[in-house]
Amino acid sequence: MRIDELQTPALIVEQSVVRANLDAMSAALPGDRLRPHVKAHKCTSLARLQADNGHRGFTCATIREVETMAAAGLGEDLLLANEVLDTRRLGRLVDAGHRVTVAVDSTETVQAAVDGGVREVIVDVNVGMPRCGIAPEKAGALADVARRAGLTVRGVMGYEGHLMLVGDEAERREHAERAMALLLSASADVGGDLISGGGTGTYAVNTWVDEIQAGSYALMDTAYQQVGLPFGQALFVLGRVISASSDWCVADVGIKALSLDHGNPAIDDAAVWFCSDEHITFAPEHRLAVGDHVRVIPAHIDPTVALHERMYLVDGDDVVDEWPVDMRGW
Ligand code: PLP
Ligand code: MN
């Protein structure tokens, strides 16, 4: 199939770029140094390529992601890096022989792990961002509660998400060092043999954790492009110009086809004015005609992918494969 036969809007992934991104990250963080986060692509076909590159463990954000990874035969070591109150579906996976570890940051989430039949947990530590995670000085006591409840505590995780987009690399490293000092102090109290953290923005500067939980690097977005990382833009939302005036064009890629939470998307050689439900209005440098195709680059990859049922793998103008976004939903 040719790319211009696709119904728009459609997610397209440039095959050579995604492969280069995966290889660049695997060269920097081989094997168990990387625990790829699947929330960024929600696609087991892509996760399989990451596994083929030598990464055995994966990070997930939802129960659905854990279940789908296990069903795809990728359930050797799944870390749900998120707090969960109803863990029954996870307990069923554990009973079926999959290794599932869940994040805890309270006695309630520890009890939930016990109740649902999950046997392994990781203590989620607040490393400076107002999200989930227990205060570092309380982490050891929570690990004791978990062990007394019969759980195995694998170690600690801490996500320094507030640092991912710090523009200057040296500054990002300094901030990461401070954040990770909190994680290491918690680790000393918690014990276990795993220290997990990091993401695409800090993969090269966070040298304190055992494994990095990066996900966005595979497909990329304009937010991460600004940070100057060695990963190329692999994913686009393909659209078509449905209306054109002398000063601007309208294409069929609106906010129901991409997420704007990190700002407007970009189109090469064009100024994007705004997006509405089903439209993107933009001023191209060179005149476009109704029917022309445009590649819209999202500002935030994860919530964009989650809006689509499939992505098409392309090689230039040829569609070479179709990957279901099979981990979407809950
Ligand atoms: N780890 C956790 C717990 C996250 O929530 C995220 C992203 O939100 C990441 C890691 C890193 O993802 P990214 O590759 O997008 O930086
Ligand atoms: Mn994200």
Side-chain angles (χ1 to χ4, degrees):
M1 204 203 288
R2 305 269 301 166
I3 208 170
D4 50 19
E5 291 172 61
L6 291 175
Q7 289 232 336
T8 53
L11 282 187
I12 56 171
V13 176
E14 199 62 68
Q15 173 174 243
S16 58
V17 181
V18 71
R19 284 187 179 277
N21 289 349
L22 298 187
D23 290 349
M25 184 60 101
S26 300
L29 299 174
D32 293 343
R33 289 280 293 122
L34 181 73
R35 184 186 284 276
H37 207 319
V38 301
K39 80 191 173 79
H41 53 71
K42 286 187 176 278
C43 177
T44 55
S45 306
L46 211 169
R48 192 160 290 115
L49 295 182
Q50 293 172 312
D52 290 346
N53 264 17
H55 311 295
R56 291 179 304 163
F58 284 89
T59 314
C60 300
T62 66
I63 293 172
R64 165 93 179 154
E65 289 171 6
V66 176
E67 278 182 341
T68 313
M69 287 291 287
L74 296 164
E76 200 177 317
D77 184 1
L78 299 172
L79 171 62
L80 179 44
N82 221 346
E83 281 62 15
V84 177
L85 288 172
D86 184 347
T87 64
R88 287 173 293 176
R89 285 160 61 191
L90 298 178
R92 272 176 233 143
L93 293 174
V94 172
D95 290 343
H98 302 289
R99 186 168 196 190
V100 177
T101 304
V102 68
V104 292
D105 72 352
S106 64
T107 52
E108 288 85 349
T109 43
V110 166
Q111 188 58 44
V114 173
D115 291 346
V118 174
R119 300 188 196 122
E120 297 185 278
V121 295
I122 192 165
V123 176
D124 187 3
V125 179
N126 181 347
V127 293
M129 183 186 185
R131 71 191 294 279
C132 300
I134 193 167
E137 64 276 11
K138 295 183 178 162
L142 186 64
D144 292 342
V145 170
R147 291 198 178 95
R148 277 200 299 274
L151 298 170
T152 298
V153 179
R154 288 188 68 183
V156 292
M157 66 158 273
Y159 175 55
E160 70 278 26
H162 55 310
L163 311 179
M164 292 296 150
L165 300 175
V166 172
D168 181 66
E169 187 175 300
E171 205 181 312
R172 212 178 321 130
R173 186 183 170 81
E174 271 169 40
H175 284 298
E177 181 166 13
R178 257 174 270 141
M180 291 304 109
L182 299 172
L183 189 61
L184 296 183
S185 74
S187 171
D189 296 340
V190 166
D193 58 9
L194 190 59
I195 304 177
S196 191
T200 296
T202 58
Y203 85 94
V205 299
N206 185 339
T207 48
W208 299 276
V209 294
D210 298 323
E211 55 174 37
I212 295 278
Q213 304 175 352
S216 299
Y217 76 96
L219 298 175
M220 286 295 283
D221 53 33
T222 62
Y224 268 132
Q225 274 180 15
Q226 286 163 21
V227 185
L229 303 170
F231 307 112
Q233 189 58 45
L235 182 136
F236 306 84
V237 187
L238 183 73
R240 292 185 87 183
V241 175
I242 54 169
S243 179
S245 76
S246 54
D247 295 331
W248 69 84
C249 290
V250 178
D252 56 355
V253 179
I255 60 178
K256 291 178 181 171
L258 53 81
S259 172
L260 295 196
D261 67 306
H262 284 178
N264 274 339
I267 298 175
D268 282 346
D269 304 322
V272 172
W273 286 4
F274 61 93
C275 294
S276 43
D277 278 8
E278 304 289 357
H279 296 160
I280 183 166
T281 298
F282 63 103
E285 276 171 24
H286 311 289
R287 218 182 158 113
L288 294 177
V290 171
D292 283 351
H293 285 81
V294 287
R295 290 180 175 215
V296 180
I297 309 172
H300 193 186
I301 198 76
D302 324 37
T304 297
V305 167
L307 293 168
H308 294 260
E309 286 168 353
R310 59 188 64 84
M311 40 181 115
Y312 296 94
L313 202 62
V314 303
D315 180 5
D317 287 337
D318 292 321
V319 179
V320 295
D321 208 350
E322 185 181 320
W323 288 346
V325 184
D326 49 355
M327 290 188 255
R328 70 199 287 266
W330 288 268

